[in-house]
Structures are given as C-alpha cells and as structure tokens.
Amino acid sequence: MGCRGPAGDPGPAGEDGPTGPTGPAGEDGRDATLPETDEAGGSLLFDDVGVPLDDAQRRLVNASTTAYVSGVAHDIGYHTLVRTGEGLGAGTFGLVVDSEGDPILDVDDVPEISRYADFTSLMEVEGELVALTQLGGVPGALYVTELTVDGATGELTAVSTEPLLTADGLFNPQSGSITPWGSHLATERIHDVGGLTRPADGRAWEEHTLVSQLGSALPFLRHHGIDVFADTDQDGEPDDLTIDDVRATMNPYDHGYPIEISGAGGGGYTLQRHGAMGRAALEKVLVMPDDRTVYLTDEDINGALFLFLATTAGDLSEGELFAARWLQTSGPGEGAGEATLDWVSLGVASDADVDAVLAKNPAFSDLFETADPLRVDHDEDDKTPPIIDGSCPKGFRPSSGTGVELECLALVKGMELAASRLEPTRYASWLEATAELQSAEGLAHDPVTNTLFLAVGAVERGMEAGHRTWDVGGNNDIRAQRNRCGVVYAVDLAKSARVRSEFAGETLRPLLDGVPTTYPSESSFAGNTCSISFPANPDELAFVPGYDTLFVGEDSTTGHLSDAVWALEVSSGRLDRVLTTPYGSEVASLDFRPNLAGHGYLTVVVQHPYGETDTEQLKAPADAEAYVGYLGPFPAMD
C-alpha cells in the first residue's frame, strides 16, 4: 500500500480533505507511491504521522507505525528507554553530580535533575550494549545506561544507569556523534550561555567586576562545591564570593572543546578534551569516512563553519584547523544563497599545545588588543548618535564573529596558536574567513554521493544582505534572503590540494527550505508561522547510507507548534513526518545505527517537554521529564 504525503497548507476558503484541511492556496502533499528498489541502493519510506491538532495529541510522542524498507513493510514505533528523573538500578538518570558523585543542589536546595537530555550514542562497549547520554545544563551531566536487547524483536530495554564523573565538569554539553572507530564525540557550548549578555565569553569574563555579572554562567561553580545561591544580605551578590575567587576556580577557556569518550576496559571510560580542534559555541562534530577530516558547527550569532584535518587517522589530538570562506555565486537576496567554499587555515596545533596555553590561565587580553571602532559624527544640529562606519583605527582589524557586534582587534605578538584554538571564531573573522552563520546546527554525510548536509536554524542577522548591525565591519559574504524558518544546505565535497582531503567542502546550495506562512485564525494550523508541509527551524540531522534518506529534526517555537522529525528522500524530495513531540519540546540526538545487535535504530531524544513557550500547559511535574528513546526497530540496514 502507498504512504500518504504530509497534509497540504490550508487556504482561507479551504474545505476539509482526506489528508487535512486544504484550500486554494494549499501546498500538495508528496506522491505516495513506493519506488522500486534498484542496484543503486534501497529505499526507506514511512506512513506520515500527521500534524497534532488537539490537546490530547499535543501531549504525546506520536510516531509512524510502519516503515517501508525497500518496499517491504515493517512495524515500528517510538520506544522510550529512560526519562530524566527515573531510577534505574542504583542510579537516577539525569541527576547532576559534582566531581565526587555527590548531587548538586538547585536554588531550592533540591538535587538538580537536567531535563536537557541530548546526544545519545547507542553502542557496544566490551560486548555490552549501552546508551551514552550527555545532558545540557550549567553544569551538565554524562550518563551511561546499560541495555539489553530482545534478539527476536530487537526491542531495547534499559536496566541500569550511572553518571560518568569528570574532574573539570561539563559546561552545557550539546549534540555529538559516534566516530568511525566507535568513540562518543561530545560538545560543550559555552559562548551563547546567557544569550546576547554572553557572561562566559572570554572578553566579557575579563571585564566582569562583580560575581552577579556572571549571570547564567554562575551556577557552573557548583561543580566545584561553591554555593552560588546564598545571599544573606540580598544584595544580588553570593555570600563570601568575589570575582577573584571565581577566576581562581574557573576559566571559561577551559571549556567549549570537543570531548571524546571511549571505553577503557573493566567497565571504565576515558574522557579527552580535544583542544587541538578549537573552542566555540559547538553544536555538532562529525568525522568523515577517512577518519581524518572533521566538520564542526558553531551555533552562534555570526558563527563559522570549521574543518579539522587530523595529522593521524583515528587520532583527534593534533591537526590543522580551517574556517570556511563563503564566496556567493547566487545574487543578493536570492533564497538562502549558493556559494563556493574556500578554506582559510588557522594553523596546526595539538592537545598538548593547548594544554600548555591553558596552564598559564590565559585571559582575552593575552590574545588580542582591542580598540573602539571608528565613528562618523553628524552635524551639530543632528541629535542622533554617531554611526559606526565599520572601520578600525590603524593597526587593528575588524572582527564580527562569536555573537558580538563589530570589534577592532590586534593579535598579540606570538599568540597565533592560542588565538586559533581559544578564540577560533574571532580569529577566523579577523583573518577574513566567514563568520556570519546564524544557528549552524546539525551535520550528516552521504558517503555514496559524498555530500555533507548542514542545518541552519534561521537565515537571518549576519546571513542577510547588509544587515545594519551584524554585517557592520564584516565581509558581508552571505547575502541571503531572510527566512526565519531555516534551511538545510547540501555541501558537495571533493578532493582539495589546500586541505589535503577528499572531503573538503567545495560548493553549497539550499536543499530544503522552511517556508514562512500565515495561517488564518479559523485554520486548524493557526499559530504555526512556518508551513506545516516542510520542516521548520531544522536542528538535528541523520543520514541512512544506501537508502537516500535524510532525517531532519526540528527545534522550533512558533514556527511549528509541535516539533517533528521528518524523513526526506533526497533524490525525489518526498517528505514524511515520522514523529511529533509534546508541547514545548525540542527534537535532539538524531543518530541512525544501521546494525546494532542485528537491528537498526534511529535515536530520538525529546528534550524539555513543556518548556520554551508552553510551560502553562504542564499538568503534572513528571510530564516535563525528557525522553531518551528510539524509532524502530528496523531490520539491519548496513
């Protein structure tokens, strides 16, 4: 039997149709025919789960119940392995602990549970099936959960969980990936904590004079046993804690790097921070099939796209870091933009090199000198403030990377290596690479076509042509049309003499655009500001090699009222909505395992239910706990 395409968009005069309300302005759903399998590979299609329209549906994880693998129907569903706050064996999943394993207390003096479950690796370690999950927060957490598998059905069951202890703590861990050699590669995202206030930014950190200025970064000190909530005199400053005490305990440059986690024998694990790969507002780190080329996304305002080339295959402790330079080939304002990519080298470094820099407790002023941007004054009668014209004093260069407006920077002599790894986005912008991406998120790779897929949550700010704030003093390399619904790009990879890799990004083009839409108040889809027929605010990506299928997970608020996971058949453009989430949730941790213990699984984490804009919908506290689970089981698909 055929699979239905997504429901069409409604028009103001539309009548209900068999796949949802449609109207004269509606968009057609995709054709429901199942393609024949050919020698080029298999196919993977789904029964579309539809858009949740009533309150009951919007409180559930709704998932497709049938997958068509090369035309053969298989029963699937969403299976929850564990939820945050749940006890398994001797552990409580998501409990945030310090370096000694003791619970960290929240502002109400209650043990803190992180509801920000994120990337989860389903893997085999020393013959045992485990799920390794990182949980966001300041500080965050890392849990290993033991699994069993039903050999006949493929269903996985969680039987115990425990935290992995870290001496330095985890600062807001985010997405991740599994390396080709089987380790878990996590990220920390330090730069964007606090939004535009950016209290943990290196420059801001040095300029703070009060502990209270640390804002949303302050709770991290709890990992080191410091009570940050005691304020006896209610002056907004924690008791018996000075800014010098804070600086003696923590340096923001200690965090924000990729972290590799590997089984160490005897049930233990090793954690290695890879300073060689650089520090940014990292979201996704993805290793290519050569075991050397690695892409890193920088989820920031005016972020960059990085490529790391390891010196030795399978060893990420040393290598050369590059930042992309976007050379636009499409006209200004033509959609999300097309471009060729050039790669600007930030130099070679090792973990040991960066450790040596960090041992000196560096500050921003050790890396860069700063000056105020030049301003254009008006006539005496003009009362408006002077305008920053984008230029800098002699001896300084403009930089607009890392989520700050125009800075004028001069590199301190001899600090090239330190700046390239501790402040790679600023340094890249200073070297005239492109630091204009907005919310660069997920990555996935199709090894058959050698295509990299890149999710960008919204095309705005520095990505717009000549933005009045975020392009001042910058290159204005990206000159796209604003699209608050985001885009997934396809990046063609090729052999590059400069990068010395067969996986260097060469050309980039939009593959899948979100579509801004206004639904009339009487529509069943009223309140969604992006078309319900296409993904909105794409975040997580996962590709199924040999099956031409790209999974796209959303992180949306008003774009889509219920975030979803989509399956895109890349060659045809067919879209199936395969999962939707409860109020206020975000889709996290898409990762497809084609053959684990004889079955395939798509990991899906449902993060912070009833968060964001839907906190008032919460009826019971337990409903707000995150889900860690999978869509499947599928047959083995390797």
Side-chain angles (χ1 to χ4, degrees), residues 229-508:
F229 299 126
D231 182 12
T232 304
D233 57 9
Q234 298 185 340
D235 64 349
E237 296 293 312
D239 292 345
D240 304 319
L241 186 65
T242 68
I243 194 68
D244 289 336
D245 296 330
V246 171
R247 292 195 177 109
T249 304
M250 174 189 170
N251 188 327
Y253 289 131
D254 292 337
H255 297 276
Y257 309 92
I259 302 171
E260 187 172 7
I261 303 152
S262 307
Y269 292 82
T270 60
L271 282 73
Q272 182 177 5
R273 275 192 171 86
H274 287 305
M277 303 179 75
R279 168 187 179 272
L282 294 177
E283 173 69 9
K284 189 76 171 184
V285 180
L286 187 66
V287 182
M288 296 293 101
D290 63 352
D291 294 355
R292 295 185 65 211
T293 308
V294 188
Y295 283 90
L296 305 92
T297 56
D298 182 8
E299 189 190 357
D300 214 332
I301 302 168
N302 278 18
L305 176 65
F306 295 105
L307 183 156
F308 177 78
L309 185 70
T311 301
T312 304
D315 181 356
L316 303 179
S317 65
E318 181 182 78
E320 186 170 3
L321 187 63
F322 297 84
R325 174 74 185 270
W326 173 297
L327 304 172
Q328 187 148 326
T329 55
S330 57
E334 291 183 9
E338 299 183 7
T340 59
L341 298 179
D342 191 17
W343 293 98
V344 177
S345 176
L346 307 189
V348 177
S350 68
D351 289 351
D353 292 333
V354 177
D355 288 343
V357 172
L358 295 176
K360 299 176 181 179
N361 197 27
F364 182 82
S365 60
D366 295 324
L367 312 179
F368 292 103
E369 297 177 19
T370 62
D372 292 333
L374 298 178
R375 297 173 180 268
V376 177
D377 292 321
H378 301 295
D379 296 334
E380 291 183 4
D381 295 336
D382 192 335
K383 304 301 181 183
T384 58
I387 298 173
I388 296 175
D389 69 357
S391 58
C392 291
K394 184 177 180 180
F396 293 83
R397 296 186 200 171
S399 173
S400 57
T402 312
V404 294
E405 297 177 18
L406 172 64
E407 296 179 303
C408 292
L409 304 177
L411 184 69
V412 174
K413 185 177 180 179
M415 298 305 287
E416 289 85 355
L417 185 147
S420 75
R421 288 341 193 244
L422 274 58
E423 292 283 358
T425 308
R426 277 186 169 104
Y427 188 57
S429 178
W430 190 79
L431 291 176
E432 298 188 345
T434 302
E436 299 173 13
L437 290 167
Q438 166 72 24
S439 297
E441 305 266 11
L443 295 168
H445 179 244
D446 177 1
V448 175
T449 63
N450 205 17
T451 302
L452 182 75
F453 302 101
L454 165 66
V456 171
V459 181
E460 56 186 6
R461 292 176 169 161
M463 297 186 70
E464 298 176 52
H467 193 280
R468 64 182 181 275
T469 299
W470 298 102
D471 279 326
V472 174
N475 300 336
N476 193 25
D477 291 329
I478 306 176
R479 301 179 299 280
Q481 180 182 23
R482 182 174 185 265
N483 182 354
R484 65 181 184 272
C485 301
V487 63
V488 177
Y489 290 105
V491 184
D492 299 313
L493 308 184
K495 186 174 183 179
S496 166
R498 174 178 295 186
V499 179
R500 305 180 308 283
S501 170
E502 296 183 357
F503 298 91
E506 185 175 61
T507 58
L508 174 150

Side-chain angles (χ1 to χ4, degrees), residues 513-603:
D513 295 280
V515 179
T517 303
T518 300
Y519 289 101
S521 58
E522 65 272 16
S523 168
S524 300
F525 307 120
N528 292 279
T529 60
C530 301
S531 169
I532 53 85
S533 294
F534 300 91
N537 310 116
D539 186 333
E540 292 284 333
L541 300 177
F543 192 80
V544 186
Y547 289 84
D548 192 35
T549 298
L550 178 69
F551 289 106
V552 181
E554 299 179 336
D555 177 10
S556 190
T557 50
T558 60
H560 283 169
L561 299 181
S562 296
D563 286 12
V565 177
W566 300 74
L568 170 69
E569 187 177 57
V570 176
S571 59
S572 70
R574 170 182 169 140
L575 279 164
D576 293 319
R577 188 185 289 100
V578 301
L579 183 144
T580 62
T581 64
Y583 285 108
S585 302
E586 169 187 343
V587 173
S589 186
L590 292 190
D591 182 65
F592 192 80
R593 304 293 283 157
N595 189 347
L596 186 67
H599 299 273
Y601 305 91
L602 176 69
T603 308

